[in-house]
Amino acid sequence: MTSTVPASLTRTAEGSTLQAVFLDMDGTLVDTEGFWWDAEVEVFAGLGHRLDEAWRDVVVGGPMTRSAGYLIDVTGADIRLDELTVLLNDCFEARIDRGVPLMPGAARLLAELAAHDMPTALVSASHRRIIDRVLDSVGHHHFGLTVAGDEVSRTKPHPEPYLTAASGFGADPLRCAVIEDTATGVAAAEAAGCQVVAVPSVAPIAPAAGRVVVGSLEDVDLAFLRGLVTGIL
């Protein structure tokens, strides 16, 4: 985890009970979920295996070890998990070096959060090397804290990444809003007790009690996020 703020909660927006906002990265902030699948297809093609498109929904949003391990199992590829992880990260990095497109509404939302001094964290299942490379393009300054998948003992769908982010800001998870694009990420955020906005990317996310599903970040602003915690005791 990296942080540019003290462990105590920084100043929140005036009159708001919302204490912090946490964003997932791939498919939520940046349009890179397709990059991961393309990298997986390319790497496995080099190993002599063709990936079935149906497997895409299984691996989307998952931690690297789970996704890579699943693809080894279903293809029978003769490669160790640690070797495959390196190949996938290298291939993905080559793709993001050619540019990282933001999701619609992402730039506006990040600017609004910054303008109101809202503590904001990036919480991703991607490894630190990938997060830092993406933020070289997007801007590290948007986030007071970042949590990578290889910096926690249990990554998404376990709640640890979001509990770690809340702890880093000294915030109550119940008063933190999370924006996620996959069922795996939503499960992690809900298990942490956070208020969740789902913005489905590759696979649909079913509505559920206490979960807001929107079509795009264009539908999300600070007032919307504050409304998620209104009335919470």
Side-chain angles (χ1 to χ4, degrees), residues 176-180 185-186 189-190 194-198 210-213 228:
C176 297
V178 172
I179 306 175
E180 274 279 0
V186 166
E190 290 179 342
C194 300
Q195 311 308 308
V196 181
V197 180
R211 177 190 307 164
V212 179
V213 181
L228 297 176

Side-chain angles (χ1 to χ4, degrees), residues 3-14 16-23 109-123 140-146 162 165-172 175-179 222 225-226:
S3 175
T4 58
V5 296
S8 58
L9 182 66
T10 62
R11 180 165 58 93
T12 60
E14 214 173 275
S16 173
T17 57
L18 178 67
Q19 293 183 342
V21 175
F22 306 146
L23 293 100
L109 179 59
L110 289 174
E112 183 181 14
L113 295 174
H116 289 83
D117 294 327
M118 178 57 63
T120 303
L122 185 70
V123 182
H140 294 261
H141 63 282
H142 291 299
F143 302 98
L145 183 153
T146 59
Y162 285 112
S167 176
F169 280 142
D172 178 356
R175 298 184 184 278
C176 297
V178 172
I179 306 175
L222 184 53
L225 296 174
R226 286 176 177 170

Side-chain angles (χ1 to χ4, degrees), residues 14-188:
E14 214 173 275
S16 173
T17 57
L18 178 67
Q19 293 183 342
V21 175
F22 306 146
L23 293 100
D24 172 55
M25 188 175 75
D26 297 300
T28 299
L29 177 66
V30 290
D31 191 8
T32 50
E33 286 290 11
F35 286 20
W36 277 114
W37 178 249
D38 291 344
E40 287 158 349
V41 168
E42 180 178 331
V43 168
F44 275 89
L47 297 171
H49 297 274
R50 181 176 179 178
L51 299 188
D52 189 317
E53 186 70 23
W55 299 336
R56 183 173 183 172
D57 287 352
V58 179
V59 300
V60 65
M64 172 73 73
T65 51
R66 190 197 75 185
S67 299
Y70 172 82
L71 293 175
I72 289 174
D73 288 342
V74 294
T75 61
D78 184 19
I79 187 170
R80 297 198 316 269
L81 181 59
D82 60 331
E83 295 173 330
L84 178 59
T85 297
V86 171
L87 292 178
L88 290 173
N89 276 327
D90 287 347
C91 190
F92 183 80
E93 282 189 24
R95 291 175 182 276
I96 62 177
D97 282 346
R98 298 195 288 269
V100 182
L102 284 169
M103 297 297 286
R108 173 202 48 78
L109 179 59
L110 289 174
E112 183 181 14
L113 295 174
H116 289 83
D117 294 327
M118 178 57 63
T120 303
L122 185 70
V123 182
S124 176
S126 291
H127 290 186
R128 170 57 55 190
R129 60 182 279 198
I130 297 298
I131 288 179
D132 286 345
R133 186 68 67 90
V134 170
L135 289 184
D136 285 343
S137 175
V138 173
H140 294 261
H141 63 282
H142 291 299
F143 302 98
L145 183 153
T146 59
V147 180
D150 57 339
E151 295 174 338
V152 291
S153 58
R154 294 161 295 186
T155 189
K156 304 173 187 180
H158 195 276
E160 182 179 346
Y162 285 112
L163 293 175
T164 298
S167 176
F169 280 142
D172 178 356
L174 191 66
R175 298 184 184 278
C176 297
V178 172
I179 306 175
E180 274 279 0
D181 73 303
T182 67
T184 298
V186 166

